[in-house]
Amino acid sequence: MFGQPRIHVPECESTQLLLDPALPEGAVASTDHQTGGRGRLGRSWDDEPGAALLFSILLKPPVDRQAAELSLVAGLATAESVERAIARPAGLKWPNDVLVDDRKVAGGLAELRDGVVVLGIGVNVNQTAEQLPPDTRTAAASLRTLDGQTREREALLADLLVTLEDAYRTWLAHGIGALHDRIASRDWLRGREATVGDASGEVRGIRPDGRLAVATADGTVLVGSGEVATL
Ligand code: BTN
């Protein structure tokens, strides 16, 4: 069961560093504040102490499974959980940013370590506008700036873990294609001009295999992983 065992510390460098690979799959580490929070592609992930949901979960998919697909699984589960919390649609910016009103409210980071995956998720929950990082590439929002309500982070974590476990087990049993409808209906990049890795052009959407299709001047390119910059 996801969330067992559970480690919670008031402060740490990064929850990505708290999970021993020997722990069982589903073990979760959470904190109220990270002093060295990590984002994707070597970026930092800053938080306001006590305001964000910050956790990592240990996953042990079979070695022949594409760990990159896990980013999409995590993004989908986070988007669905955010939607339930605020009763509004959320967009999934491939592979795993969650946006509401074109503002980023959550992100995920899947790191492969000693044959296991440490999946970290950060959700902006109770920050005020002034407490959000001002210099992010995508403007940030919190659930509170979106609807004015403060929330129990524990309740959001419980819902997200159930949603993530369900999506993860579907992915394990049936592959990323089994989640495609849920992913594609939230595809925030589709129809936008973007540069993804070396490919620039209009994004044609997330394919059933999880890759992003980009219509470039030289034809359609399918990208499996990489940095996205919208134009
Ligand atoms: C991103 O959007 O760049 C990914 C952000 C991931 C942040 C979470 S917060 C919990 C976990 N610990 C970290 O240091 N990073 C992830």
Side-chain angles (χ1 to χ4, degrees):
M1 188 185 163
F2 282 12
Q4 287 183 353
R6 167 84 183 276
I7 301 160
H8 183 86
V9 295
E11 180 181 300
C12 63
E13 181 182 338
S14 164
T15 56
Q16 292 293 95
L17 304 172
L18 297 181
L19 292 169
D20 188 318
L23 287 167
E25 179 169 74
V28 165
S30 57
T31 191
D32 298 320
H33 175 50
Q34 295 182 134
T35 55
R38 302 173 179 184
R40 290 182 70 235
L41 305 163
R43 299 198 183 93
S44 59
W45 180 267
D46 300 327
D47 69 79
E48 175 71 20
L53 174 60
L54 308 162
F55 74 97
S56 300
I57 181 164
L58 191 65
L59 298 172
K60 301 185 174 183
V63 285
D64 61 333
R65 300 305 296 268
Q66 292 258 0
E69 293 177 4
L70 254 184
S71 290
L72 264 179
V73 176
L76 171 65
T78 308
E80 290 182 338
S81 207
V82 162
E83 286 175 356
R84 265 193 299 278
I86 62 171
R88 284 167 64 178
L92 175 56
K93 183 182 171 193
W94 184 92
N96 60 5
D97 284 353
V98 176
L99 283 78
V100 178
D101 286 350
D102 298 336
R103 290 172 174 268
K104 179 167 170 173
V105 296
L109 170 69
E111 294 182 314
L112 201 55
R113 187 178 318 138
D114 300 326
V116 303
V117 176
V118 180
L119 172 67
I121 294 177
V123 186
N124 296 329
V125 181
N126 290 326
Q127 292 99 321
T128 62
E130 297 71 35
Q131 291 169 338
L132 289 167
D135 54 352
T136 47
R137 292 178 327 133
T138 309
S142 70
L143 305 189
R144 179 176 177 184
T145 62
L146 288 168
D147 69 3
Q149 293 182 40
T150 53
R151 294 176 167 77
E152 289 292 331
R153 288 169 294 154
E154 277 299 310
L156 184 66
L157 174 63
D159 183 75
L160 213 167
L161 289 176
V162 169
T163 311
L164 180 63
E165 181 163 11
D166 179 69
Y168 177 72
R169 303 231 175 274
T170 299
W171 172 68
L172 279 185
H174 306 292
I176 196 73
L179 300 169
H180 182 65
D181 288 353
R182 287 157 66 186
I183 291 170
S185 64
R186 296 175 171 82
D187 188 348
W188 186 85
L189 281 173
R190 189 183 173 93
R192 293 179 196 261
E193 295 289 323
T195 297
V196 188
D198 296 330
S200 289
E202 186 185 317
V203 176
R204 291 287 159 82
I206 302 168
R207 290 283 172 95
D209 68 2
R211 289 184 294 174
L212 193 68
V214 184
T216 72
D218 301 325
T220 300
V221 174
L222 299 175
V223 188
S225 64
E227 169 156 30
V228 178
T230 44
L231 307 176

